[in-house]
Amino acid sequence: MAGMATDTKGTLTRSGARAPASWGLGDGRAIPWDYAPAPESRDIVKLKERYGLFIGGREVPSSDGSTFVTVNPATEEPLAEVARATAEDVDRAVRVARRAQQRSWGNLPGRERAKYLFRISRILQERSREFAVLESMDSGKPIKESRDVDVPLAAAHFWYYAGWADKLDYAFPGRVARPLGVAAQIIPWNFPLLMLAWKIAPALAAGNTVVLKPASTTPLSALLFADVCRQADLPAGVVNIVPGPGEIGMVLVRHPKVDKVAFTGSTEIGRKIFKGVAGSDKALTLELGGKAANIVFEDAALDQAVEGIVNGIYFNQGEVCCAGSRLLAQESIVGPLVEKLKDRLSTIRVGDPLDKNTDVGAINSRQQLEKITELVESGKAEGAEMYQPACDLPERGYFFRPTLFTNVAQSHRIAKEEIFGPVLSVLTFRTPDEAIEKANNTPYGLSAGVWTEKGSRILNMVSRLKAGVIWANTFNRFDPTSPFGGYKESGFGREGGMHGLHAYVRLEDR
Ligand code: NDP
């Protein structure tokens, strides 16, 4: 996955920011220059004033006519009004999805389903700029990330699972893979289009139909995806999209005609969903929160590690479930590593998500900004030492400076709780055993990172770390062929790869 900018030409800082002696004038002073604005044009996005629900292949208003407004978090301006699904709408969507599964989609040969998925992938590629701009406007993420990460990966997921649609016999040798039926899918706001792709692509490849609820702060890319389904001539009712509040998500989860529930979001809501399906025979996958340790040994290539750490926690404003939010640095190198990190932080550009130079965009919502602010305040109050680079934040919008805490104890809230923001806590260790103990000292188990020159140490560490995904000498890399998911309070089930197919089929003996 592409990360933060590593362009060494871009290392000069904004006026007033600190710079290492090797930059600028060679005497430790930065040359006071700034990047000229490089805004991506919004013209490619034709925003409608009002969006409906997508049920049975058509855009329809909600049954009671109610709507909500989605806001651009970088400007606080309303973008559009969106129909708010009711329980009646959810019921209609599930019934339509069931009919489509039983009468058309579930009976199509795999190679025919594959054609639709390939078509969707191609259309996503063709319309990638439109999706990237819309995603950045609705979510606040920098355009270079939506353009280079979210949209290409979403297209790649449809492409990858298109390839499996007619090869289920090879995925599950000796068994017959049957679709589960109707999948209820609830996705969060941090990667709206990408999470949609993670969920819809394997479900459709395996012959299921879906009803998807996007997050209330980021419904627009899912509704643009509805247009892609129409463009691809996907049979009516195979994909249905019902924006609405959390309670509507629960109505969907509990619906008796739903066969499978897939959720990505907070551990707190994941627990409620677990209870919501308990006692039923619905299949369930939960992809929840994380508090990943990024472990740097003294023999690691430090400059490379710095880029990985920055990518690990400041990518997507840190609003990433697998973010490397706890840096575990070996005691002998913590000093130089933190110095290098501070220097690197002073070059991060925070601001307009549509500016192609922006590294850190807007926080997704006021509510999330308040949560980050509160946790950062707790870090200061509990005695950790905070560093933030000097950079100007836009006057409007929900922005937060990249933040680094040193002097952090394992008992501090910032070391324990998922902040879901651009905030890094630095802890230290002396021995590999201590690193393992600290890394695993969390109720979560989603991801981890190890930085060392020694292959044997990597193998030793990864076998002892309790995390679903572990990166070695890199961080936040994703690929459709690779399974992703957690342990403990980070959830269960895997998305991506062949494992991702498994979550959408019932296996029978031949
Ligand atoms: P939530 O878990 O509340 O939201 C995720 C999705 O679940 C959204 O579509 C949401 O809808 C929906 N939802 C909310 N309540 C229910 C419910 N009772 N039943 C069914 N679906 C529901 O996350 P938040 O948006 O509130 O973020 C809170 C915290 O969660 C963040 O600060 C972060 O720490 C964590 N988080 C983790 C994510 C991850 O990928 N691990 C992703 C997002 C958040 P709606 O948007 O309408 O509320």
Side-chain angles (χ1 to χ4, degrees):
M1 173 187 277
M4 311 295 285
T6 55
D7 177 5
T8 47
K9 288 189 201 127
T11 50
L12 300 181
T13 66
R14 289 165 190 276
S15 326
R18 65 203 295 279
S22 57
W23 295 348
L25 302 173
D27 57 0
R29 283 186 295 129
I31 299 172
W33 67 276
D34 213 340
Y35 282 80
E40 175 68 69
S41 166
R42 291 171 54 147
D43 293 350
I44 192 148
V45 172
K46 303 281 175 262
L47 269 184
K48 297 195 288 187
E49 256 176 55
R50 189 171 288 191
Y51 289 80
L53 315 170
F54 184 61
I55 300 178
R58 290 189 311 125
E59 187 179 339
V60 293
S62 63
S63 60
D64 66 358
S66 63
T67 59
F68 64 96
V69 173
T70 181
V71 168
N72 182 338
T75 61
E76 301 177 55
E77 285 161 2
L79 288 170
E81 251 181 69
V82 176
R84 182 199 301 262
T86 62
E88 197 181 314
D89 297 318
V90 167
D91 181 55
R92 188 152 46 110
V94 172
R95 284 175 197 283
V96 163
R98 190 152 204 91
R99 227 176 9 251
Q101 204 278 327
Q102 289 173 344
R103 294 196 190 157
S104 64
W105 193 251
N107 304 321
L108 277 185
R111 65 176 183 281
E112 294 302 319
R113 294 198 303 270
K115 285 182 194 168
Y116 287 103
L117 293 177
F118 279 127
R119 214 179 280 166
I120 288 172
S121 177
R122 280 205 185 284
I123 297 170
L124 283 176
Q125 286 169 299
E126 281 161 15
R127 299 178 68 174
S128 60
R129 217 173 120 233
E130 183 185 0
F131 269 100
V133 174
L134 182 68
E135 194 78 315
S136 284
M137 286 166 67
D138 205 19
S139 73
K141 65 173 64 205
I143 185 73
K144 71 176 172 192
E145 289 176 6
S146 47
R147 182 194 63 200
D148 299 345
V149 181
D150 297 54
V151 180
L153 268 177
H157 269 80
F158 279 99
W159 195 265
Y160 173 74
Y161 281 110
W164 275 120
D166 62 346
K167 301 177 193 67
L168 297 181
D169 287 349
Y170 297 93
F172 307 105
R175 314 292 304 275
V176 182
R178 306 251 182 245
L180 294 171
V182 176
Q185 306 182 321
I186 299 177
I187 55 172
W189 41 260
N190 52 346
F191 293 93
L193 181 71
L194 185 57
M195 289 303 104
L196 172 151
W198 278 27
K199 297 221 165 5
I200 292 185
L204 264 48
N208 304 276
T209 55
V210 309
V211 180
L212 176 131
K213 191 200 93 62
S216 293
T217 54
T218 52
L220 294 184
S221 54
L223 296 170
L224 188 60
F225 181 80
D227 199 39
V228 171
C229 295
R230 277 194 294 249
Q231 203 182 334
D233 275 333
L234 193 71
V238 173
V239 169
N240 304 275
I241 297 169
V242 287
E247 306 87 76
I248 277 304
M250 191 47 84
V251 171
L252 178 59
V253 165
R254 289 183 186 274
H255 195 289
K257 299 286 182 199
V258 157
D259 303 287
K260 150 91 191 178
V261 175
F263 171 78
T264 299
S266 61
T267 297
E268 181 196 346
I269 301 297
R271 277 199 195 97
K272 290 188 184 169
I273 287 179
F274 206 160
K275 285 185 192 153
V277 301
S280 76
D281 60 356
K282 290 172 191 166
L284 175 65
T285 41
L286 295 175
E287 202 266 273
L288 310 174
K291 192 72 191 173
N294 206 356
I295 305 167
V296 182
F297 284 93
E298 60 191 0
D299 65 344
L302 282 199
D303 290 324
Q304 201 180 322
V306 165
E307 289 309 315
I309 295 161
V310 167
N311 184 33
I313 185 63
Y314 303 113
F315 169 67
N316 203 43
Q317 298 72 245
E319 295 166 327
V320 183
C321 48
C322 52
S325 49
R326 286 183 299 151
L327 171 62
L328 293 187
Q330 196 153 18
E331 224 171 69
S332 49
I333 49 141
V334 69
L337 185 61
V338 167
E339 276 312 297
K340 279 176 186 286
L341 268 172
K342 287 181 177 173
D343 288 342
R344 182 66 180 86
L345 251 61
S346 67
T347 70
I348 287 179
R349 295 166 295 250
V350 186
D352 179 7
L354 284 184
D355 191 313
K356 291 169 213 155
N357 287 326
T358 293
D359 296 313
V360 171
I363 302 300
N364 183 255
S365 63
R366 183 183 294 281
Q367 190 191 7
Q368 186 60 23
L369 181 61
E370 283 166 5
K371 178 182 167 182
I372 297 168
T373 309
E374 192 269 320
L375 272 158
V376 164
E377 288 305 316
S378 83
K380 287 194 276 182
E382 287 184 316
E385 209 169 293
M386 187 182 80
Y387 170 80
Q388 290 178 328
C391 63
D392 301 327
L393 298 185
E395 276 171 19
R396 296 197 68 186
Y398 315 133
F399 291 91
F400 200 85
R401 283 192 180 81
T403 302
L404 182 153
F405 274 106
T406 48
N407 215 5
V408 179
Q410 288 193 86
S411 57
H412 290 167
R413 285 181 65 204
I414 52 170
K416 291 193 299 190
E417 295 181 28
E418 185 180 47
I419 301 177
F420 230 61
V423 184
L424 178 66
S425 298
V426 184
L427 298 110
T428 59
F429 67 92
R430 290 183 191 172
T431 63
D433 284 349
E434 190 185 348
I436 291 285
E437 201 180 302
K438 286 186 168 167
N440 289 340
N441 184 16
T442 165
Y444 296 112
L446 192 54
S447 67
V450 181
W451 296 81
T452 169
E453 213 178 50
K454 293 191 181 65
S456 56
R457 181 175 280 157
I458 291 173
L459 293 174
N460 179 271
M461 293 295 288
V462 298
S463 65
R464 295 160 71 203
L465 284 167
K466 292 198 179 74
V469 182
I470 302 170
W471 289 285
N473 293 329
T474 186
F475 209 91
N476 268 347
R477 301 260 161 200
F478 296 95
D479 191 286
T481 64
S482 173
F484 182 92
Y487 293 104
K488 302 194 283 184
E489 291 193 12
S490 294
F492 51 79
R494 295 291 177 266
E495 293 184 307
M498 265 186 356
H499 300 66
L501 274 180
H502 197 273
Y504 285 96
V505 294
R506 194 178 62 248
L507 294 178
E508 293 175 359
D509 292 333
R510 279 198 183 277

